Amino acid sequence: MKESSRDSFKNSFGVLVAMAGSAVGLGNLWRFPYLLGEHGGAAFIIVYLIAVFFICAPIFIAEFLVGRRAQSDTFGSFKILAPGSGWSIIGVFAIIAVVCILSFYSVVGGWSVQYFCKAVTFDFTRGSSEHLDTLFSGFVSDPYKPIIFHTIFLILTSVIVIAGVRKGIESFTKVMMPVLFLIVILIAIRSVTLPGASEGLNYLFKPDFSKIDSSTLLIALGQAFFSLSIGCGTIITYGSYVKKEASITKCATGTVISDTLFALIAGCAIMPAVFSFGISPGEGPGLVFITLPHIFSQMPLGGVVAILFFATLLLAALTSSISLLEVVVAHLTERHNISRKKAVILSFGLFWVLGALCSLSQGVLSDFKIAGLNIFDLFDYISANIFMLACGFLIVIFVGWKLKGKVIKEELTNNGALKISPMLVSIIIFLIKYIAPLAVITIVLAKFNVF
Ligand code: PHE
């Protein structure tokens, strides 16, 4: 497609909220709290923050730069920037990662739809505690119900993506992002003012470094990739809808900071309440869906907080799932020349089937395992620990070593029009060329006990 016929974001603010919308999602509200609960609280947060700022932020900038320079979908971007070379394999890895992620993400998105409906009908505050114990396991293992909610979630995602980049994605995220921040701050205030909340805050902010080992490093890194939406083409694709006037460093900094702040505020919304009610923080993936309803049922104003919380979870999931779907849709429209509507319908079919398999793997298909993992866990594992990391690694190698320093400088300064300190540009190039790839390789090798 020609540049002029491509949809684009209206202005820098539009890009920033869309990217922040992609980043802020289930990763912040569902994955981050349970991972930090399982891996030692504050010490995990510190490792996570180092991974975000020194490894993932440079990868984010590298992806953004590739998309904006090439003005094409993920696969096409490498064909344009390095014609006739094998670099477009990165595009293949990215598509595989996105397909795996959206398949299980839309299932969890469906759970959020269901829990939002339950919150609105005050189901958590009306039922008995035994009812809450079995609610989640009963729901996710049901063969039909979660698939119905998964379908609803996919329809919502598809409707926004069909409307296009500016009219759908940008308009939706512009309204939703401030709302999300506001609600999660309100919930955090409620949580930290509960009796005994200080223990939860200590857990979040007082590190115990003996809890850190090589698998914590890999998990923190994988979570940072997942949370910032890097390593699967979303930032390349969104970057390709950005006009040449926008500042890559400003948008990247804004996104990384908002995503990290949101995760920390989500931690403050959840952990103090968990400690205040004497529940173990290491409950695993059920933390948000099993533990929180218990807490809501006992907390003053719990019914209202539950509605706000599950509304946030659902909306945050939607602003991320649209970015995942957009990667596939951009690929289909630009590489295979089909209309946007057709591309969305085709993708809907694919994700409906793969999502249904992920959903069934929580119940009737739970015995079907590959390498010891059910389909849901397999998709989560191979996307976060293999394809996203491989993609992120290859992208910084590509930008740092194959694209010339001149190209990076041109993009970061918009051909000299932006005043960015040359020192900052050199630091970014250094992080992209050396620190990010070396850190990714070292953490992966450490995990496999190579040292
Ligand atoms: N970053 C999103 C979240 O935190 C998930 C996501 C991953 C979205 C990869 C796009 C690409 O929930």
Side-chain angles (χ1 to χ4, degrees), residues 22-28 101 105 225-230 232 234 259 320 323-324 388:
S22 168
V24 168
L26 295 170
N28 306 59
I101 298 170
Y105 204 87
F225 264 70
F226 188 83
S227 195
L228 289 177
S229 307
I230 57 174
C232 61
T234 40
D259 184 63
S320 300
S323 70
L324 288 160
M388 286 175 106

Side-chain angles (χ1 to χ4, degrees), residues 116-359:
F116 173 65
C117 298
K118 288 206 172 291
V120 170
T121 53
F122 293 101
D123 197 78
F124 308 129
T125 35
R126 275 188 297 121
S128 63
S129 139
E130 293 81 63
H131 155 75
L132 291 179
D133 281 341
T134 50
L135 188 71
F136 183 69
S137 54
F139 168 64
V140 295
S141 57
D142 187 284
Y144 307 108
K145 267 202 211 151
I147 297 187
I148 295 173
F149 287 101
H150 153 67
T151 312
I152 297 175
F153 183 80
L154 266 187
I155 292 175
L156 293 173
T157 306
S158 305
V159 168
I160 304 168
V161 173
I162 281 190
V165 175
R166 191 177 294 193
K167 287 206 191 112
I169 298 175
E170 181 172 344
S171 320
F172 183 73
T173 45
K174 253 188 191 161
V175 180
M176 286 312 152
M177 288 315 288
V179 178
L180 290 183
F181 265 93
L182 194 72
I183 309 184
V184 80
I185 290 173
L186 285 179
I187 302 176
I189 294 175
R190 168 68 287 207
S191 179
V192 298
T193 49
L194 285 168
S198 55
E199 225 185 300
L201 290 173
N202 277 345
Y203 184 75
L204 283 175
F205 298 113
K206 274 206 179 142
D208 168 5
F209 289 106
S210 66
K211 299 264 169 59
I212 295 180
D213 58 17
S214 62
S215 64
T216 316
L217 295 184
L218 185 66
I219 289 168
L221 182 67
Q223 171 60 13
F225 264 70
F226 188 83
S227 195
L228 289 177
S229 307
I230 57 174
C232 61
T234 40
I235 302 305
I236 297 183
T237 308
Y238 272 13
S240 76
Y241 301 133
V242 174
K243 302 232 188 71
K244 294 284 177 194
E245 306 86 66
S247 157
I248 292 185
T249 40
K250 274 198 189 143
C251 290
T253 316
T255 308
V256 172
I257 290 182
S258 11
D259 184 63
T260 310
L261 264 185
F262 198 95
L264 294 177
I265 303 173
C268 293
I270 294 171
M271 282 307 157
V274 165
F275 276 85
S276 166
F277 288 94
I279 293 170
S280 147
E283 287 288 309
L287 184 67
V288 160
F289 292 100
I290 305 172
T291 311
L292 286 189
H294 272 289
I295 295 176
F296 295 143
S297 74
Q298 298 165 43
M299 168 196 256
L301 286 182
V304 180
V305 180
I307 299 179
L308 292 177
F309 181 82
F310 286 108
T312 315
L313 193 68
L314 170 57
L315 294 174
L318 270 175
T319 56
S320 300
S321 63
I322 52 182
S323 70
L324 288 160
L325 184 57
E326 182 62 29
V327 174
V328 181
V329 169
H331 181 78
L332 291 174
T333 50
E334 298 185 17
R335 293 297 105 211
H336 302 281
N337 265 327
I338 59 175
S339 73
R340 188 167 188 86
K341 202 166 166 191
K342 258 199 200 146
V344 173
I345 294 172
L346 274 178
S347 318
F348 178 93
L350 172 74
F351 290 113
W352 190 85
V353 174
L354 293 176
L357 289 174
C358 287
S359 181

Side-chain angles (χ1 to χ4, degrees), residues 337-383:
N337 265 327
I338 59 175
S339 73
R340 188 167 188 86
K341 202 166 166 191
K342 258 199 200 146
V344 173
I345 294 172
L346 274 178
S347 318
F348 178 93
L350 172 74
F351 290 113
W352 190 85
V353 174
L354 293 176
L357 289 174
C358 287
S359 181
L360 292 172
S361 74
Q362 302 293 307
V364 288
L365 290 184
S366 60
D367 288 335
F368 177 76
K369 293 202 165 141
I370 298 172
L373 298 170
N374 68 30
I375 305 173
F376 185 112
D377 295 339
L378 182 77
F379 279 8
D380 186 356
Y381 186 87
I382 58 175
S383 52

